Amino acid sequence: MFPGVTYRWLFKMAAACSAFVIVAPTHTIARGQELQAIAHETTEPTTQPATTQPVLSWEAQWNGWEGLDIEFIDRTHWRTVSEILMRTPEEAIADQRVRFAANFGARLEVDAAQLGASGTLNDFDSGVALRRLSLISRGMFQFVAPIDFKLELGYIPGKFNVKDAYLVFPEIDYVGRVKFGFFQPPMGLDLMTSSRDLMFMEPAAPLQALAPGNEFGIQIGRPVFDERATWVLGIFGNGQRSGEYGNASKNYGSAIGRATWLAIDHLNPQTPVLNQSLHLGVSANYQYSTTSTVRYRSRPESYIAPHVIDTGEITSRKAATLGAEAAWVSGPLSVQSEFLDSSLDVDNGPDVNFYGFYVYASYFVTGESRAYDRKAADFERVKPLHDFAFGRQGWGALELGGRISYTNLTNGDIRGGRLGILMGEANWYLQPHVRWMLGTGYGHVDGSSNNGDMFILQTRLAVDF
């Protein structure tokens, strides 16, 4: 039996732990009260184990353009393992805190396009479309260790869409962070970068055709060498074959890896005009199945336009795709390029090879620079130096750019078509969460039953919070 003074000390410590109060942010709009109080101090020693009750508190805060933050904290005082098993008092009580914190936001993108086509190109109908309407939740929950999560779901033209639904577990030595769920595999710089942060309204045609879309999988990886390099390796299953982009292969398992290196590392977040960086990366995707089909296709970099190159379903058990990427940033100027090559072992026919590439350059007239995410090895949201304010000095950020891309899906017995397209774009960022985009392009298709020229004039209003 421990002396009574020890019990009094224990209860005082437990009461001190339970008195912890969350400090509410400035804009807190709601906050829960403690639901249950901890047991009061006992002045007499007892042979019964000390008992405590959980304490739950919560708060909600609207952050304007940053969305809604909600946090729950349950501070439960658990006994040590020996006390639970042996049913005898112990000298200490551990404070186990259960926490859930999440940010809730949304995205809205509305497109309009004027399209024209010649030759045998069909279904080029001009119009207005709701490009994206998404609800987004991201945050963390903690019991023993913190686990991050993200869920993004909503609408794209003609269908309900799950963009992301995954968990990220804490970093493990030599393995890095573990990511599990439905998300973009690590291939294609423009696909790894959020569509919210792309220079152009849509990814380049080679990525739409040859790179994988969002899939179920598990991956490991981490930044290394003071976050100048990253590596990621994952195993994936079937993706969302009716999703946003063209890779419509079926019944495959894939091993996908990506490695990057920041060869020039002079990033200056405080003075973006001084940024100097060179990103280099390689990726690989090996697909295998005992019975499956591969299908590559792409739109002409406008989601309102139809698919103009399409291999149809190819019976193949193995396919391998290699990718290379590079991005150079010098203050307001940036240049980016990617190359992809895919080889297929075709059942009952000769093997085929498809490839594609793009190059683009952009320039911020107002002096901003592309922000780089070292941990993910991709690019982040553009933040104007001065947000738009009518009648004041701020006019937001203005970015001008041009891109050329080429995709070849015709080889051997497969006549999927060849697409070359030149796009120009102007982006006006009124502030970090509001952007107006205007793009125009000219393209040519041949090498299949679809042959002809096309003209695209399109615009987008994008808002997120």
Side-chain angles (χ1 to χ4, degrees):
M1 181 76 64
F2 295 107
V5 64
T6 303
Y7 280 95
R8 287 195 293 274
W9 178 82
L10 286 174
F11 280 108
K12 286 180 181 180
M13 289 298 294
C17 290
S18 67
F20 175 78
V21 177
I22 304 172
V23 179
T26 306
H27 301 290
T28 296
I29 60 174
R31 177 175 171 180
Q33 300 298 321
E34 293 181 344
L35 301 183
Q36 299 184 43
I38 261 213
H40 297 291
E41 178 178 357
T42 302
T43 57
E44 295 298 330
T46 175
T47 58
Q48 299 299 320
T51 59
T52 61
Q53 297 294 329
V55 179
L56 174 66
S57 58
W58 66 275
E59 65 181 44
Q61 173 186 338
W62 175 253
N63 291 314
W65 289 104
E66 298 299 329
L68 174 67
D69 289 335
I70 295 179
E71 183 176 48
F72 293 86
I73 295 182
D74 182 6
R75 298 186 306 281
T76 302
H77 299 272
W78 300 92
R79 299 173 182 82
T80 61
V81 173
S82 60
E83 180 177 332
I84 294 173
L85 297 178
M86 305 298 295
R87 303 293 184 181
T88 59
E90 295 292 327
E91 287 190 325
I93 298 173
D95 185 5
Q96 301 293 334
R97 189 171 71 169
V98 180
R99 180 186 178 206
F100 173 84
N103 174 267
F104 296 88
R107 292 177 63 189
L108 172 66
E109 296 177 357
V110 179
D111 288 6
Q114 181 68 40
L115 307 175
S118 64
T120 59
L121 298 176
N122 300 313
D123 300 325
F124 272 72
D125 299 324
S126 304
V128 178
L130 179 60
R131 177 63 181 91
R132 286 187 184 91
L133 177 59
S134 300
L135 300 178
I136 306 167
S137 174
R138 68 183 75 208
M140 62 83 69
F141 58 89
Q142 176 178 340
F143 181 67
V144 177
I147 299 175
D148 296 334
F149 70 87
K150 181 182 178 183
L151 176 64
E152 180 176 346
L153 51 85
Y155 172 87
I156 60 175
K159 59 181 75 74
F160 173 80
N161 181 55
V162 178
K163 179 67 168 60
D164 289 303
Y166 61 79
L167 302 174
V168 181
F169 296 90
E171 186 165 312
I172 303 171
D173 290 343
Y174 309 110
V175 172
R177 304 180 78 193
V178 180
K179 189 173 183 179
F180 173 79
F182 186 79
F183 54 94
Q184 172 64 43
M187 187 170 213
L189 177 57
D190 252 11
L191 294 182
M192 298 296 297
T193 301
S194 170
S195 57
R196 179 199 65 198
D197 305 324
L198 293 180
M199 162 65 198
F200 292 85
M201 289 174 59
E202 301 293 339
L207 293 180
Q208 295 190 38
L210 300 174
N214 286 34
E215 298 184 352
F216 289 101
I218 182 170
Q219 73 175 32
I220 59 175
R222 62 184 302 182
V224 292
F225 303 120
D226 294 327
E227 297 185 344
R228 290 192 62 173
T230 67
W231 66 267
V232 181
L233 179 64
I235 299 174
F236 298 86
N238 281 344
Q240 186 170 286
R241 301 310 176 195
S242 59
E244 297 185 67
Y245 304 122
N247 186 338
S249 303
K250 297 179 180 179
N251 303 322
Y252 270 93
S254 301
I256 304 176
R258 178 176 183 245
T260 69
W261 172 248
L262 200 57
I264 298 177
D265 180 13
H266 301 297
L267 299 176
N268 192 328
Q270 285 71 38
T271 312
V273 72
L274 300 180
N275 277 354
Q276 297 282 338
S277 65
L278 175 61
H279 161 99
L280 303 173
V282 293
S283 57
N285 176 11
Y286 179 77
Q287 300 174 232
Y288 179 81
S289 177
T290 56
T291 171
S292 55
T293 60
V294 174
R295 185 178 185 182
Y296 295 146
R297 59 182 181 174
S298 178
R299 291 182 171 90
E301 301 175 359
S302 170
Y303 208 80
I304 293 179
H307 293 95
V308 294
I309 53 175
D310 190 342
T311 63
E313 293 190 351
I314 306 170
T315 303
S316 173
R317 298 185 182 184
K318 292 185 291 183
T321 304
L322 301 177
E325 60 195 56
W328 176 65
V329 176
S330 179
L333 175 66
S334 66
V335 179
Q336 180 173 309
S337 179
E338 295 191 65
F339 174 83
L340 288 94
D341 183 275
S342 184
S343 299
L344 280 68
D345 290 344
V346 179
D347 296 353
N348 303 318
D351 296 346
V352 294
N353 178 262
F354 307 125
Y355 67 92
F357 66 87
Y358 74 84
V359 180
Y360 84 70
S362 74
Y363 186 82
F364 282 96
V365 177
T366 46
E368 289 76 8
S369 184
R370 299 181 76 191
Y372 187 78
D373 184 342
R374 294 175 178 273
K375 289 183 171 60
D378 58 24
F379 289 96
E380 297 182 306
R381 184 193 298 271
V382 172
K383 297 182 179 180
L385 296 176
H386 304 284
D387 290 352
F388 175 77
F390 187 76
R392 302 180 185 177
Q393 295 295 322
W395 290 98
L398 177 62
E399 181 184 26
L400 304 177
R403 176 174 69 191
I404 184 170
S405 69
Y406 180 79
T407 311
N408 186 351
L409 300 184
T410 292
N411 186 248
D413 296 333
I414 309 300
R415 310 294 292 174
R418 294 180 288 262
L419 169 64
I421 188 167
L422 175 65
M423 295 291 294
E425 187 117 358
N427 293 327
W428 180 22
Y429 302 83
L430 284 77
Q431 51 109 305
H433 300 269
V434 181
R435 175 165 62 155
W436 177 69
M437 312 174 75
L438 177 65
T440 184
Y442 169 81
H444 176 76
V445 177
D446 61 23
S448 70
S449 58
N450 287 330
N451 293 278
D453 300 324
M454 68 197 76
F455 173 78
I456 298 169
L457 177 64
Q458 59 185 358
T459 187
R460 172 179 294 172
L461 177 63
V463 180
D464 73 273
F465 63 88

